[in-house]
Amino acid sequence: MALTGRFILLALAGIFPLILFPTGQTALWWCLFLAVLLAADIGLAGSPRKVGLERRIPSSVRLTEECTAELLLTNHGTRQLKAVLRDGWQPSAGAVNPVQRITIPAGERRLLAVRLRPERRGDLLAHHVAVRSLGPLGLAARQLSVPAPARLRVLPPFHAKRHLPSKLRKLRELDGKAAVQIRGAGTEFDSLRDYVRGDDVRSIDWRATARRQAVVVRTWRPERDRRVVIVLDTSRTAAARIDNEPRLDTGIEASLLLAALAERGGDRVDFVAFDRRARATVRSASKGNLLNQLVNAMATVEPELIEADWSQIPAQVHNISSHRSLVVLLTSLDSGSAEESLLPMLAQLTAKHVVVVASVRDPLLDALRAERGTATDVFRAAAAERALLDRAAITQQIKQLGAEVVDADPHQLPPQLADTYIRLKAAGRL
Amino acid sequence: MSQATAARASADIGEASGEQTAWSVARQRLRRWSFWLLLGVLLIAAVLVQLLRSPPADREDLSPANPAPNGAMAVAEVLRQQGVEVIATDSLDETLGALEDGGTLLFHDANNYLEPEQLARLSDHGGPTVLVRPGFQQLQELAPEVTAAGRVPEEGGPLAAECMANDDGGGSPAPDAQDSVTQPAGSISRGGLGYRGPVMCFPFETGAEPAASYVTSADGGTVVLGAGHVLSNEEIVDRGNAALALNTLGSADRLVWYRPSLSDLAVPDEPQSPLALLPAWVTPVTLWLLAVGVLAMLWRGRRLGKLIQEPLPVVVPAAETAAGRARLYQDSKSIRRAAANLRAATLTRLAAKLRLGAGSSAAAVVDAVARHSNRPAVELDRLLRTYIPESESQLVDWAQTLHSLEKEILDQ
């Protein structure tokens, strides 16, 4: 049950009879009057129990985009339903108009559109719809929270998409498909074509030239169908925020850009999110759009507050591909957590695969170390320097083990990782 | 097709919620809250029982039913044991009724409840009267020959039992009747109020005329007991207090102990409070507005639907470990360690900028820096290698110089 403002006004109006006849009896009569009206209004209100609910939710939406969740309400009762509804989305679903008024005649159906502007990646839930059914006089209402579970999957935003065209152009240049002055890099023979000025004379195919009147050059293209395994660390270090974005989200952006690029480059991309066990996996063998599968798998990945078990990674990678692959580890290079388990495992991995360790660098540390105004600032600068030195030492160790390191600010990490991929591909190291 | 399944699904929902009627929900809520309801009822019941069982304890000054130090239960009980019938009364009519059979009247009205007319009615009774610490009006009506003389000064010893007749300022000895009452006491403890009257016992020194804490009228029928504390449980055992109290109050075989109460207050006829001058509707309308206020709270306070929960993410700034380490350095005054960090980092960056390779020594870096800057090599060597700050201020100065040197080289 719920009261309305109109009922309060009516109750307030009781002061006029009280001024005219200031006795307890007047008050009693007015109370009785109010009680009768209240009972009648509640009795005549449409039953919220007889509302049929049906939801139509978009299958998924990208973070930062808006969508509409539709709610179909059917009045199964015999009375008109005049109600205020509240769609019970959790706050981070960002419902713009969760509370709406609606009137449904008996036996009819109406549509309620709730605009959602999600503020967080992952599965966002709604558990119920609160129905406050007003009586014909609008004095009081029957209220009920009708269970109506719903789930909206919010996909990672993939802001790094804007880097994709430029990186793809670079990749095409490698491929020899774009008009460039140099011959296509790579080792795999692609085709013969007429010599154009500027081509490397070393690539002239003399045998083919002899058969024809014109000079013919060979073109190569980079290897295709190589394997790229992206391992995303979801352990406790992924929860740390850099530039107000969890490390995990930056890792997701970088993985998506790399995956999109590698797929266009003709390589096979596998993805695994891992801490002590695989939290999400996408296999290149499966059918369907890779990017779609990736964003769906990544949507629900959250940092787990446990330490990562790197010793299992070689086995995981072997499970995915027994061939030589490019293994990209998206993790953190903090001293302590990395030294203990990451480094011993890397030696195993680099023996068989090409390994790239990508990590987000905290721009705040660079800001802290330059700040030297007071004693506190200087101590803070010293601590930041220590963190950076430790990081540099670990980077050095990783490089000595034969792995590549990409260490960049959050918004720089995805393009730099893509650049590393292109460089490795160009060098034929995949 | 999908429409059909949807229709069935919604019908299912309708049926499922149809099982839950309003009554069943109300019953469920009652069951859920039954423990607290029961607890509340039990608490209220316990409080009520406690209130009903123990009547409010008597805590009044010099009340014959008060066993506390400020009460006078002891003297009343002893009198009863001595065969004196002690009747405690708290209204004028009751008192007058009790006095019809004769007896001594003890009148103690600390709050001045009685009006002059009521006091006059009381004075009509002819028997012996003891006034305990009477006020001005009480004296006027009940013992007009006695006047008040203020408080008994605190300095000095106990009051001795000397009685004297006060014949216009003279100091003739008192009648024997008073002596027989007061002499056995010998002396009483000091305190209470002083009075002046025809016969004064237990006098105390004053600047002007003599005054005493035990004054009787000329005929001895009315006793004004300024030293009311001699009756109290706390002081009855001191000195001759008990003897004085028992002799004064136990002269007859009945004692009516009258302490006026609220029931003696005469109800005034005219309106006294300004509230009564307001129109009649003000009070009901005020109450009504309060009730409407409560209703408005219910109206605004009703939530639309159940609470919705939001799982919140962990928020850990990544630079927190560095900040924590900085505080550790500062708290433990690790100036050398901080300096070593700053020095190592600067040397590393300078070596990288000057293309010296990772393994180059500090001396090599100093040489290279000296070649690239205009600073003397000695100063650079001190700055980059040998200088060790000892205090925080030195550390700050050195760190700033180091930073500016680094910027100078790196920006080239």
Side-chain angles (χ1 to χ4, degrees), chain A residues 350-370:
Chain A
T350 48
K352 198 164 173 199
H353 304 285
V354 182
V355 180
V356 175
V357 179
S359 168
V360 190
R361 181 191 173 92
D362 193 348
L364 189 59
L365 286 182
D366 289 312
L368 281 182
R369 78 178 170 79

Side-chain angles (χ1 to χ4, degrees), chain B residues 220-237:
Chain B
T222 303
V223 176
V224 175
L225 183 61
H229 60 275
V230 304
L231 303 178
S232 73
N233 295 338
E234 190 179 20
E235 297 192 40
I236 184 89
V237 291

Side-chain angles (χ1 to χ4, degrees), chain B residues 114-171:
Chain B
L114 293 195
E115 297 289 321
E117 299 86 53
Q118 292 169 304
L119 288 171
R121 278 177 67 199
L122 195 64
S123 69
D124 288 346
H125 123 84
T129 305
V130 180
L131 305 176
V132 179
R133 293 194 206 145
F136 174 71
Q137 211 155 47
Q138 295 164 25
L139 282 177
Q140 254 192 348
E141 293 295 332
L142 298 172
E145 310 120 305
V146 182
T147 55
R151 300 190 74 84
V152 176
E154 283 179 18
E155 297 83 29
L159 303 175
E162 295 162 13
C163 289
M164 52 187 170
N166 185 9
D167 308 332
D168 299 321

Side-chain angles (χ1 to χ4, degrees), chain B residues 8-154:
Chain B
R8 217 180 310 128
S10 57
D12 285 350
I13 291 172
E15 274 172 26
S17 57
E19 287 168 16
Q20 269 206 339
T21 59
W23 285 119
S24 72
V25 169
R27 269 205 305 277
Q28 263 178 18
R29 291 212 180 125
L30 196 66
R31 214 174 302 145
R32 193 183 308 160
W33 292 101
S34 59
F35 172 74
W36 297 107
L37 282 176
L38 204 67
L39 198 73
V41 168
L42 281 178
L43 262 177
I44 292 170
V47 168
L48 280 179
V49 164
Q50 191 64 28
L51 282 178
L52 290 176
R53 218 179 52 186
S54 61
D58 193 342
R59 293 273 173 265
E60 303 281 326
D61 268 355
L62 300 187
S63 161
N66 180 4
N70 65 343
M73 195 168 170
V75 71
E77 284 303 312
V78 172
L79 283 170
R80 281 195 186 107
Q81 281 168 20
Q82 301 294 324
V84 179
E85 192 186 351
V86 180
I87 304 164
T89 59
D90 61 357
S91 72
L92 186 57
D93 293 336
E94 200 184 340
T95 311
L96 293 176
L99 285 173
E100 274 173 9
D101 300 340
T104 312
L105 168 69
L106 187 152
F107 179 66
H108 178 212
D109 184 7
N111 295 323
N112 294 321
Y113 282 139
L114 293 195
E115 297 289 321
E117 299 86 53
Q118 292 169 304
L119 288 171
R121 278 177 67 199
L122 195 64
S123 69
D124 288 346
H125 123 84
T129 305
V130 180
L131 305 176
V132 179
R133 293 194 206 145
F136 174 71
Q137 211 155 47
Q138 295 164 25
L139 282 177
Q140 254 192 348
E141 293 295 332
L142 298 172
E145 310 120 305
V146 182
T147 55
R151 300 190 74 84
V152 176
E154 283 179 18

Side-chain angles (χ1 to χ4, degrees), chain A residues 1-5 7-8 11-12 14-15 18-19 22-23 27 30-31 34 49 51-54 56 74 76 84-93 99 109 120 127-128 130 132 142-143 145-147 239-242 247 305 335 362 364-365 368-370 372-376 378-390, chain B residues 2-3 6-7 9-11 13-14 17-18 20-25 280-282 284-285 288-289 292 295-299 302-319 321-323 325-327 329-330 333-335 337-342 344-346 348-349 358 392 395-396 398-400 402-403 406:
Chain A
M1 196 193 108
L3 301 177
T4 64
F7 181 79
I8 305 300
L12 201 61
I15 59 173
L18 267 177
I19 289 172
T23 61
W30 198 260
C31 280
L34 287 177
R49 278 163 219 286
V51 177
L53 287 171
E54 190 195 334
R56 282 193 206 149
T74 317
H76 295 300
V84 179
L85 283 106
R86 182 198 190 94
D87 199 355
W89 285 100
Q90 69 183 68
S92 60
V99 180
R109 186 158 77 157
R120 195 189 293 175
H127 293 291
H128 64 261
R132 181 177 280 187
R142 295 172 68 179
Q143 183 173 322
S145 291
V146 186
R241 277 173 185 254
I242 295 172
R247 220 176 237 145
L305 297 186
S335 65
D362 193 348
L364 189 59
L365 286 182
L368 281 182
R369 78 178 170 79
R372 295 183 181 185
T374 65
T376 310
V378 173
F379 280 115
R380 217 176 277 157
E385 294 281 27
R386 172 74 354 221
L388 289 170
L389 282 171
D390 288 349
Chain B
S2 67
Q3 287 289 350
S10 57
I13 291 172
S17 57
Q20 269 206 339
T21 59
W23 285 119
S24 72
V25 169
W281 52 265
V282 170
V285 165
W288 186 258
L289 284 177
V292 172
L295 281 178
M297 285 180 211
L298 288 176
W299 164 48
R302 181 79 167 106
R303 198 182 334 110
L304 188 50
K306 286 180 191 164
L307 273 184
I308 300 164
Q309 49 176 320
E310 170 82 48
L312 290 174
V314 186
V315 179
V316 193
T321 45
R325 198 198 297 252
R327 276 194 294 275
Y329 283 162
Q330 191 163 21
K333 304 227 180 300
S334 308
I335 293 168
R337 182 170 288 272
N341 285 347
L342 294 172
T346 301
T348 313
R349 277 192 293 271
E392 287 192 358
L395 177 71
V396 173
W398 175 75
Q400 284 171 354
L402 201 65
H403 190 59
E406 192 187 323

